[in-house]
Amino acid sequence: MADLAPTEYLYELYDANWDDGPLGNYKIHAHPITKKTSRRIYFTYLNQTRPSFVDRQQIEADGEVYHGATLRRLHLAPPEIPHQAKPVSLAELKQQMAAAHPDRGGSSEAFIAARQRYETAKSRPSGVA
């Protein structure tokens, strides 16, 4: 029995909450490569019957390419999922403000900037920066 060649994929970073704003609910979609020629890489996009293609030289040179027909950026290797920074709590902002106080070795400018960040976060409904 002949060994089957491993399936190759083009990868897409997909934000599942794209219509609700940048919430960062990312998933990676893998689109199977069906054929490679010297100029093109053919793949099946989300189980469609008609294959699509990308420019092979461009994707191999850059590692990614924008595919206009699907309006997606496709990658040769699975892309890293971006992580959103954890919001700073009011308690942390208050500690930063205290550490920046001139009586504790900070400067007036640093204290004023830290106090502004604290007051801005305090006035928000969620209470986070």
Side-chain angles (χ1 to χ4, degrees):
M1 178 190 269
D3 291 333
L4 295 175
T7 304
E8 294 182 275
Y9 296 95
L10 292 180
Y11 300 94
E12 168 194 352
L13 182 63
Y14 176 75
D15 188 354
N17 291 330
W18 63 270
D19 57 345
D20 294 333
L23 299 177
N25 187 13
Y26 293 104
K27 296 178 182 178
I28 295 178
H29 289 174
H31 308 293
I33 294 174
T34 57
K35 179 181 170 183
K36 285 185 178 181
T37 66
S38 60
R39 296 182 63 187
R40 294 178 175 171
I41 296 177
Y42 293 87
F43 66 98
T44 304
Y45 185 78
L46 295 177
N47 299 323
Q48 292 179 345
T49 57
R50 191 172 132 217
S52 296
F53 65 88
V54 294
D55 182 277
R56 184 173 183 170
Q57 285 83 19
Q58 184 179 4
I59 197 167
E60 287 181 351
D62 299 338
E64 63 182 46
V65 67
Y66 181 76
H67 187 250
T70 58
L71 305 177
R72 302 281 188 252
R73 186 159 295 281
L74 300 174
H75 306 262
L76 278 177
E80 287 190 31
I81 295 178
H83 298 283
Q84 293 181 339
K86 179 185 163 205
V88 182
S89 69
L90 282 176
E92 291 169 325
L93 288 171
K94 195 170 187 177
Q95 286 176 344
Q96 291 174 7
M97 185 174 62
H101 197 278
D103 291 347
R104 292 192 177 181
S107 67
S108 295
E109 296 82 21
F111 176 73
I112 290 169
R115 181 173 172 83
Q116 181 64 37
R117 287 191 302 271
Y118 174 76
E119 293 296 332
T120 301
K122 190 174 164 184
S123 66
R124 290 189 182 134
S126 63
V128 292

